[in-house]
Amino acid sequence: MQRALPRFPGGTSVSQLCVYDWETPDGLHGGSPHLHTVSTEAYVVTGGTGEVHTLSAEGFARDRLEAGSLLWFTPGTVHRLVNHGDLRLNVVMSNAGLPEAGDAVLTFPDEILADPEKYREAVALPEGDEQERARAAQARRDLAVEGCREHIAAVERDGPQALATLHARAAELVRPRVERWREIWEATVEAETARTREHLQALQSGDGSHLGRAAVVRGEPRPGPRLFGMCGRLQTFTGEEPVG
């Protein structure tokens, strides 16, 4: 079953997110801190209030979120959504297909990040019912919060270079998947870029025939309960592949 709209403009993906309101070990409420190794993630806040906590070479930062807020993170930025009340947002991801294929790495404690088998066990959700999956998602979130606090403390103590170990661990964890990611990227982002190049070349020569293949794609919510994402309950969309 598809989990994203096919060929969303520019080879990106879009989803709706209701941020978890579960309490965290440090007394906040929200999602799992993580980073992306290849993709940029954008938040367009549609309702509620909260914050996003980030950790990068610029240090630790907090940004307030409310309806109308817009911000995004480039690869390597640790980010954590904090829910102050009914926080909802649209998520736009670059490199459609790669986030779904494991582009994200959760900020577990270093002993888990250093062991691929331990990491796989910690990040996986069971195939059980909704309550069982919710408990596992919450436990996964809490472990990522624990590790994130360690990474923040290291940066505050040793400076931005303290992130080098986290980034190295993340790169090693995803390395076995990169060849498959390349195939996905070629079929989405690269294909969209090539299509635009062809259209520009055609227009430059006075050929507008591709305009006759105009199409409208109507996305539909993915059937079934929302997915248990890293930061909240995700609503993804499906739609028929356009011809043009």
Side-chain angles (χ1 to χ4, degrees), residues 10 14 21 29 31 38-39 48 51 78 85 121 150 170 207 215 217 225 229-230 242:
V14 62
D21 59 5
H29 298 78
V38 180
S39 303
E51 293 180 333
V78 175
E121 292 177 359
E150 295 177 3
D207 177 6
V217 177
M230 293 185 179

Side-chain angles (χ1 to χ4, degrees), residues 28 96 132 193 206 215 236:
L28 302 176
E132 184 179 0
T193 300
T236 57

Side-chain angles (χ1 to χ4, degrees), residues 15-22 30-31 46-47 81 83 85-91 226-235:
S15 59
Q16 293 179 342
L17 179 67
C18 294
V19 180
Y20 293 131
D21 59 5
W22 302 326
T46 57
L81 279 169
N83 190 351
D86 195 27
L87 183 59
R88 291 167 283 115
L89 44 92
N90 291 333
V91 179
R226 286 175 174 257
L227 303 173
F228 284 98
M230 293 185 179
C231 295
R233 299 302 299 267
L234 278 171
Q235 177 65 71

Side-chain angles (χ1 to χ4, degrees), residues 2-240:
Q2 293 178 328
R3 290 194 172 186
L5 285 170
R7 272 174 44 189
F8 196 72
T12 61
S13 61
V14 62
S15 59
Q16 293 179 342
L17 179 67
C18 294
V19 180
Y20 293 131
D21 59 5
W22 302 326
E23 186 173 3
T24 58
D26 54 359
L28 302 176
H29 298 78
S32 308
H34 63 282
L35 61 83
H36 294 277
T37 57
V38 180
S39 303
T40 292
E41 181 174 13
Y43 291 157
V44 184
V45 181
T46 57
T49 58
E51 293 180 333
V52 61
H53 297 178
T54 56
L55 183 65
S56 68
E58 298 178 349
F60 177 71
R62 301 170 185 256
D63 285 277
R64 178 173 170 78
L65 299 178
E66 57 189 11
S69 296
L70 168 66
L71 68 164
W72 61 85
F73 326 99
T74 57
T77 303
V78 175
H79 47 286
R80 173 192 181 187
L81 279 169
V82 175
N83 190 351
H84 290 169
D86 195 27
L87 183 59
R88 291 167 283 115
L89 44 92
N90 291 333
V91 179
V92 181
M93 296 290 308
S94 68
N95 301 320
L98 299 193
E100 297 85 350
D103 166 47
V105 173
L106 278 80
T107 57
F108 294 143
D110 187 65
E111 65 181 78
I112 295 177
L113 294 177
D115 187 324
E117 184 58 34
K118 287 183 179 179
Y119 181 85
R120 283 192 292 271
E121 292 177 359
V123 79
L125 296 182
E127 295 294 332
D129 60 24
E130 286 282 291
Q131 289 188 346
E132 184 179 0
R133 290 175 63 80
R135 285 192 295 269
Q138 186 168 355
R140 178 178 72 177
R141 189 276 314 272
D142 291 349
L143 189 60
V145 168
E146 176 187 340
C148 188
R149 295 173 69 183
E150 295 177 3
H151 300 307
I152 292 172
V155 170
E156 291 177 343
R157 182 183 64 246
D158 302 325
Q161 64 270 21
L163 287 172
T165 298
L166 171 61
H167 291 161
R169 301 290 196 214
E172 187 62 24
L173 284 169
V174 303
R175 186 161 61 96
R177 302 178 177 179
V178 172
E179 192 56 40
R180 174 56 183 151
W181 288 1
R182 192 184 306 278
E183 296 174 359
I184 295 171
W185 178 83
E186 290 172 350
T188 55
V189 181
E190 190 174 48
E192 286 295 297
T193 300
R195 184 175 294 107
T196 300
R197 182 184 299 113
E198 292 169 1
H199 291 170
L200 290 173
Q201 291 172 343
L203 290 170
Q204 191 171 32
S205 65
D207 177 6
S209 59
H210 65 280
L211 302 177
R213 298 191 294 275
V216 176
V217 177
R218 295 172 176 82
E220 297 292 339
R222 172 186 170 274
R226 286 175 174 257
L227 303 173
F228 284 98
M230 293 185 179
C231 295
R233 299 302 299 267
L234 278 171
Q235 177 65 71
T236 57
F237 301 86
T238 64
E240 293 184 0

